[in-house]
Amino acid sequence: MDLIDMPDLSKGFVTIPSLAVMGRTPVWVKDNKYNPIQFKGISVSPEAIAHELSKRFDIIHYLDITGIRSQKVEWNTFQRVMDEGGEVWADVGVTFSDTIIDPLMSGASYAIITTKMIRSIEEIISAYELTENLILQIDIEDGIISQDRDINSMEVRELIREISSFGMDTFIIDDLKAGRKGPSRKIISEALGSLPSRGRLFMGASDLDELRPLDAAGVDGAIISASRLMRGFD
């Protein structure tokens, strides 16, 4: 397993590889479908990939696709990845606040709640009351994606201000719009201006070419698929 050379970025900018897993299998997106990651036709475990990624990157983003789709997390696989050490941010498809503790108890450094999955602002606040090791991901596509009408009707900057007022200070913005041409400078500027003191903003990146513009825009880092950072897989 070979990692690619990274572009030159500022010292404070954090690149976070996202390891997507379905059940016990690490996956990547090809032709709009999730496919197993293999090297020369040989399967590889999520923990093996996490082990290699942790040699270069301080934080790994763990994305449980099955957990998001059906709320069935493969906890044994999750635990083996956590055992590789380092800081892990985990998105396992939390929909209600009372399940936010599960990934943290299993070793994650931070649990992620996404607007696409969480049921309401009240659930976000309830989760934060249970743990401060919480990150809100704001999913957007011509507006915030949410099942909650209150969230859906908000601008990104409004939601950040609302959630920040309760103490949360770390946010991810993931633009899911098909065919988008890089991150929106307007949204980044408004989001940065809405952060609390010492707040942090991370952006989802679809390609390595987006890292330098995000760095120049002043965000704290980017989350990018681990498949964009590895060579030799099929």
Side-chain angles (χ1 to χ4, degrees):
M1 190 184 308
D2 187 23
L3 300 179
I4 68 168
D5 295 328
M6 294 293 294
D8 292 329
L9 301 165
S10 66
K11 186 176 180 181
F13 187 85
V14 183
T15 301
I16 304 174
S18 179
L19 175 58
V21 176
M22 293 185 71
R24 300 177 182 178
T25 305
V27 295
W28 67 298
V29 177
K30 181 181 180 182
D31 299 327
N32 294 317
K33 297 188 297 184
Y34 285 107
N35 295 269
I37 293 176
Q38 298 180 328
F39 290 85
K40 297 181 179 178
I42 300 174
S43 299
V44 62
S45 68
E47 59 266 29
I49 295 178
H51 178 77
E52 293 302 315
L53 292 172
S54 64
K55 293 178 180 179
R56 183 180 296 182
F57 302 98
D58 294 331
I59 304 171
I60 294 175
H61 175 269
Y62 185 93
L63 183 65
D64 192 304
I65 304 300
T66 309
I68 291 170
R69 289 180 173 177
S70 62
Q71 284 70 61
K72 295 180 180 179
V73 179
E74 172 52 55
W75 289 112
N76 289 333
T77 299
F78 184 94
Q79 186 65 66
R80 286 195 292 271
V81 171
M82 299 306 112
D83 289 343
E84 288 302 320
E87 184 171 328
V88 177
W89 296 2
D91 180 358
V92 297
V94 171
T95 54
F96 294 103
S97 59
D98 57 2
T99 60
I100 197 67
I101 295 298
D102 294 341
L104 298 173
M105 292 294 290
S106 296
S109 304
Y110 287 88
I112 295 172
I113 281 180
T114 70
T115 58
K116 190 174 182 179
M117 295 296 296
I118 199 67
R119 300 289 178 165
S120 65
I121 287 180
E122 289 73 23
E123 289 292 338
I124 299 173
I125 304 310
S126 295
Y128 186 68
E129 290 174 349
L130 293 172
T131 176
E132 294 184 0
N133 289 24
L134 189 65
I135 296 170
L136 175 63
Q137 176 174 308
I138 304 172
D139 299 310
I140 61 173
E141 185 181 11
D142 296 324
I144 299 176
I145 304 171
S146 176
Q147 303 172 59
D148 180 76
R149 290 184 180 181
D150 290 336
I151 296 176
N152 190 256
S153 65
M154 285 181 166
E155 299 287 340
V156 169
R157 62 179 181 271
E158 293 175 325
L159 181 58
I160 290 177
R161 287 172 184 158
E162 174 76 11
I163 300 302
S164 296
S165 68
F166 293 94
M168 288 184 65
D169 60 6
T170 302
F171 300 87
I172 300 166
I173 297 177
D174 195 13
D175 189 345
L176 303 176
K177 186 175 182 178
R180 69 179 180 83
K181 297 180 179 179
S184 166
R185 293 183 180 181
K186 179 177 183 291
I187 289 175
I188 291 173
S189 177
E190 291 180 352
L192 288 172
S194 303
L195 287 176
S197 175
R198 299 183 182 179
R200 298 186 296 171
L201 178 67
F202 297 84
M203 297 290 297
S206 59
D207 195 88
L208 283 172
D209 291 342
E210 295 184 5
L211 298 185
R212 281 201 181 100
L214 289 173
D215 187 12
V219 303
D220 292 273
I223 298 170
I224 184 169
S225 172
S227 65
R228 299 290 187 179
L229 307 174
M230 300 186 297
R231 294 191 186 97
F233 65 91
D234 48 46

